Amino acid sequence: MTDTPTPWIHRCLLGLQELSAEDIRTVLYTARSFAEVSGRSVKKVPALRGKVVANLFFEDSTRTRLSFTLAAQRLSADVIDLTETGSSVNKGETIDDTALNVEAMGVDALIVRHRASGAASLVARVVDCAVINAGDGRHEHPTQGLLDIYTLVEARLGQAPGGPALQAGSSPVSPAERERLERFDLTGLKVAIVGDIVSSRVARSNIAGLTKLGAEVICVGPTTLVPRSLESLGCRVEQDFESVLSQVDAVNMLRIQFERHGTAAKPAAANAQPEPARGSPAFPSIREYVQSYALTPERATRLRDDAIVMHPGPMNRGIEIADEVADGPRSVILRQVTNGLAVRMAALYLCVGVSERQEATRLAASVRQLSNTTFGS
Ligand code: CP
């Protein structure tokens, strides 16, 4: 393993399950280069000047959508936006017809978020431009997985990988571990992913990415949300959160996705009084879920001194995570958001580059075919 990136060959980024460890490292190395751009006074590079990126978001998003928009703008691309509300999807147009029509306007990359698993892959099959999965149902959210890994490495190093220190003396690592982490080799690290894993595309991308890079992943929660069958993805399954706390380098707390449990009721914080009728068939009550699986200030004291707290957002404050922990000194939740920008710049840059090379090859082939037809071979 070297820190020279393996050449990127993928027109699309649809999931981390289908990438090799070296592919994943290539995106992370590229993100490291782009993170430096965000520290400049002029936060823009001409890498995608003249290119057009289209956001196709058929499900709500704050972080992913804004961060892809900003990432494309920082690469000097033009950005257009389509959301389900106000689009012809509401008149019955299919997602592949929508994608083909947007591509026909000369778009170079489609960023796709959809509530259905497999939606981004469906789009990738019908268009020739780059496609990046921005979250499809319960399947994958690859750029979230990548930014989580990047943030974990940054926190262990106490600095942006390859960059200046964030806080003096904040790194707990030995020289050997530093050398491994600089190569995004996560051997020896343990990460707990806690909560609604059965509903979570973030969990699937994290499990794939972390284990491919050498980390151990422990999925924690009640069997209704964390079934034993998840072990087939290469992680360990544990119901007892208490027993895991002192073992891990990071806890990644996941939102309870009430909207995917067939209960439309909006959740409220566990300490809100009185508790209205709401919840999930996956556990008896929110209060009981909080008792066993919330990251409370008391539980956080049982984490190792150097362990970090992550959350992909949006958070159900007072349910899976307490305010004091979300906003406390171990939290890297806002660093995750910051690092998402560099990771998405990397994903766009790499995938559009491949798409452009494939388009050039296609053009060259049609010119050859045309000249053979016209002049004979
Ligand atoms: N983490 C994440 O995907 O957040 P958004 O839904 O706000 O994009």
Side-chain angles (χ1 to χ4, degrees):
M1 192 196 319
T2 70
D3 58 5
T4 308
T6 304
W8 180 258
I9 54 165
H10 307 282
R11 170 178 64 91
C12 304
L13 175 58
L14 302 174
L16 300 191
Q17 291 170 76
E18 63 206 45
L19 295 186
S20 68
E22 290 316 310
D23 284 333
I24 293 170
R25 290 193 174 99
T26 296
V27 188
L28 296 169
Y29 287 137
T30 310
R32 181 162 66 188
S33 309
F34 283 127
E36 182 266 321
V37 172
S38 298
R40 295 185 197 162
S41 57
V42 178
K43 298 176 174 54
K44 218 163 183 172
V45 289
L48 295 187
R49 189 160 51 203
K51 304 289 178 199
V52 184
V53 173
N55 284 324
L56 305 187
F57 275 59
F58 302 103
E59 192 190 68
D60 295 344
S61 167
T62 296
R63 282 147 289 269
T64 313
R65 186 166 151 207
L66 288 180
S67 136
F68 266 115
T69 299
L70 203 50
Q73 289 171 343
R74 287 201 174 164
L75 294 168
S76 304
D78 295 319
V79 184
I80 56 174
D81 264 296
L82 185 77
T83 54
E84 185 163 309
T85 314
S87 80
S88 291
V89 169
N90 282 336
K91 299 177 192 164
E93 186 168 65
T94 61
I95 184 170
D96 43 357
D97 274 338
T98 301
L100 282 165
N101 279 270
V102 175
E103 186 188 34
M105 294 174 205
V107 162
D108 300 284
L110 297 174
I111 315 301
V112 181
R113 167 166 292 195
H114 202 283
R115 69 185 74 81
S117 301
S121 304
L122 189 74
V123 168
R125 279 200 290 274
V126 298
V127 298
D128 291 324
C129 68
V131 177
I132 299 177
N133 180 5
D136 62 328
R138 295 177 166 88
H139 174 229
E140 280 233 34
H141 191 349
T143 55
Q144 181 72 46
L146 290 162
L147 73 88
D148 288 346
I149 292 167
Y150 190 96
T151 305
L152 171 65
V153 168
E154 176 187 77
R156 288 296 297 167
L157 287 171
Q159 65 192 72
L166 291 177
Q167 279 173 279
S170 59
S171 172
V173 302
S174 66
E177 191 185 354
R178 169 171 298 279
E179 195 263 331
R180 276 199 305 274
L181 289 169
E182 291 282 4
R183 288 184 282 116
F184 295 102
D185 175 355
L186 307 186
T187 304
L189 293 187
K190 268 190 202 175
V191 178
I193 305 177
V194 185
D196 189 0
I197 294 173
V198 80
S199 307
S200 177
R201 53 200 179 205
V202 172
R204 275 169 191 71
S205 291
N206 263 272
I207 294 166
L210 287 164
T211 55
K212 281 176 194 225
L213 299 188
E216 187 183 335
V217 178
I218 311 170
C219 291
V220 184
T223 46
T224 44
L225 299 181
V226 187
R228 189 66 56 188
S229 57
L230 282 168
E231 288 182 344
S232 65
L233 299 177
C235 57
R236 201 173 104 202
V237 165
E238 181 60 69
Q239 281 178 270
D240 180 8
F241 192 15
E242 303 292 337
S243 69
V244 168
L245 288 165
S246 62
Q247 297 179 32
V248 294
D249 299 283
V251 276
N252 196 348
M253 302 304 299
L254 300 184
R255 181 173 72 90
I256 302 295
Q257 301 192 43
F258 292 93
E259 72 278 16
R260 294 193 204 275
H261 295 191
T263 47
K266 192 172 163 51
N271 56 3
Q273 294 291 337
E275 187 178 300
R278 63 180 183 273
S280 162
F283 41 82
S285 71
I286 290 175
R287 197 174 303 281
E288 284 176 71
Y289 181 84
V290 169
Q291 266 168 15
S292 298
Y293 294 109
L295 190 54
T296 57
E298 195 280 324
R299 278 203 179 102
T301 61
R302 272 173 280 144
L303 289 165
R304 285 203 336 236
D305 286 348
D306 58 2
I308 58 166
V309 172
M310 310 175 82
H311 194 304
M315 289 184 274
N316 288 322
R317 284 174 177 265
I319 300 184
E320 70 269 1
I321 191 164
D323 286 339
E324 298 91 319
V325 182
D327 305 326
R330 294 175 181 281
S331 171
V332 294
I333 293 169
L334 293 178
R335 286 303 302 170
Q336 290 173 264
V337 178
T338 302
N339 291 332
L341 197 54
V343 162
R344 288 172 178 132
M345 286 171 82
L348 277 167
Y349 172 75
L350 292 168
C351 292
V352 171
V354 169
S355 164
E356 195 171 31
R357 287 197 292 280
Q358 289 179 350
E359 180 60 20
T361 310
R362 268 194 300 274
L363 268 173
S366 20
V367 168
R368 265 199 309 277
Q369 197 180 16
L370 188 67
S371 76
N372 288 345
T373 314
T374 311
F375 304 112
S377 51

